[in-house]
Amino acid sequence: MRLILIFLFSFIFALAQPKEPPRGERCVVCGMDVNFDPKLTSQVKLKDGSYKYAESPKHILQFYLENKNRVAELWVKDYESGKWIDGTKAFYVPIKEGPMGPDLAPFRSRLSAQKFAGKGKVYQLKDITKDFLKHLDMGHVH
């Protein structure tokens, strides 16, 4: 029985995939075109099967934090490759120039994130709170 549950869980997880946002799709937080800078486009899949998009990791993380109980999947794009990655496992580095000011650059690996950050700090999802995002907006996160 345990083996069957593991197989089913693995199968369901393998089906979890992001969906490219439609042209003209607007950010769930600010209303900006989510395709403004495609390498920062981010999304969540809700438990009801619908998707919500944002023009940046900062905004999708804000939405995620406010709606955790409704979110089934969190997707961001690796800043180097532009490929979709699991936002719950990503490593984030603050950047000064996102679509709406300071933002976060997501990376698949800690090593890539640390190289990009130099002497700066690398964050994981557990480090990101609503207050963290407010400080980032003010340019106070290093």
Side-chain angles (χ1 to χ4, degrees):
M1 185 62 155
R2 183 179 229 176
L3 188 57
I4 291 171
L5 287 175
I6 291 171
F7 173 76
L8 285 174
F9 179 74
S10 298
F11 179 73
I12 290 168
F13 185 74
L15 292 178
Q17 290 295 318
K19 185 171 137 185
E20 290 302 321
R23 273 179 120 50
E25 187 70 29
R26 298 289 177 191
C27 174
V28 67
V29 172
C30 72
M32 181 182 240
D33 184 341
V34 301
N35 296 301
F36 178 79
D37 183 351
K39 74 179 178 183
L40 291 175
T41 300
S42 305
Q43 64 183 273
V44 292
K45 180 178 181 182
L46 300 179
K47 291 177 182 174
D48 69 6
S50 65
Y51 288 80
K52 299 291 182 188
Y53 302 95
E55 86 290 352
S56 70
K58 174 178 68 177
H59 279 172
I60 209 62
L61 289 170
Q62 180 182 337
F63 180 84
Y64 172 81
L65 291 172
E66 293 169 357
N67 297 278
K68 274 187 194 180
N69 61 330
R70 296 176 49 211
V71 175
E73 301 168 21
L74 171 63
W75 296 96
V76 294
K77 288 188 176 179
D78 179 75
Y79 200 68
E80 288 181 319
S81 71
K83 293 184 180 181
W84 291 107
I85 58 174
D86 182 340
T88 65
K89 297 177 182 172
F91 298 92
Y92 297 92
V93 177
I95 56 175
K96 291 181 182 179
E97 297 297 323
M100 293 188 70
D103 215 302
L104 295 164
F107 292 87
R108 179 181 307 276
S109 77
R110 180 180 290 280
L111 181 61
S112 295
Q114 198 59 66
K115 271 188 196 177
F116 181 82
K119 294 182 182 190
K121 186 165 182 196
V122 173
Y123 299 88
Q124 291 180 275
L125 184 59
K126 65 181 173 69
D127 305 316
I128 299 172
T129 63
K130 291 178 189 177
D131 283 341
F132 174 95
L133 295 173
K134 284 180 192 172
H135 287 285
L136 177 66
D137 266 338
M138 294 185 287
H140 296 157
V141 178
H142 303 287

